[in-house]
Amino acid sequence: MSNLTKLEFNALDVTGKNYLTWILDAEIHLSAMGLGDTIKEGNKTSEQDKAKAMIFLRHHLDEGLKTEYLTIKDPSTLWKDLKERYDHQKTVILPKARYDWLHLRLQDYKSVSEYNSAMFKITSQLKLYGENITDKDMLEKTYSTFHANNMLLDNKSFGRGRGHGYGRGRGRARGHGFWRGRGRNQQNRPHFKRKPYYQK
């Protein structure tokens, strides 16, 4: 079991402002320690594993919350109580996560790593509240924003290329046609003899 003299992640604040990230971190760490089932309702894990999970969870609670939930000894009960207490944040977090997902664009970030970080944060929030975002969804989202951006750049480049080529093409066509026209006119034009000056 990991050393509990230091926090593996930030303790759950009494206001619940970091509840979302807290439950994700807690769940991941418990699973890594082989204690993931202890927080599931109706689990059949041993009392020893429940005690280990309870020690870990309490270590990552605000001091006020430790006191408030002092009598609870089952980690699944603590997990359920905390969820009932702070799950109302779903009404705020979920709509925002949906909005952020809808407006997520690669070109709004300075680097791919920043974009990926934002994407995983949003998808974690959505998954936490029952929105199923698959790897395929994330790939399609990335491709659609990246593709749209490329299309815009390609169209601009294409426009410049067409304009430039069009101008040169017109120039060549006009020049070529112009000289051909003069040549024909020179050949087909009737020739008149000029009268001497004294006859005028």
Side-chain angles (χ1 to χ4, degrees), residues 181-200:
R182 286 190 62 186
R184 286 197 301 268
N185 290 340
Q186 290 289 345
Q187 293 172 0
N188 299 329
R189 189 172 57 188
H191 295 275
F192 298 97
K193 294 183 178 180
R194 299 180 66 181
K195 293 182 179 181
Y197 180 77
Y198 67 86
Q199 291 183 358
K200 294 180 182 179

Side-chain angles (χ1 to χ4, degrees), residues 22-40:
W22 184 87
I23 60 172
L24 290 174
D25 288 334
E27 195 168 20
I28 291 170
H29 280 79
L30 287 173
S31 295
M33 294 184 291
L35 303 172
D37 289 340
T38 60
I39 57 174
K40 296 178 180 178

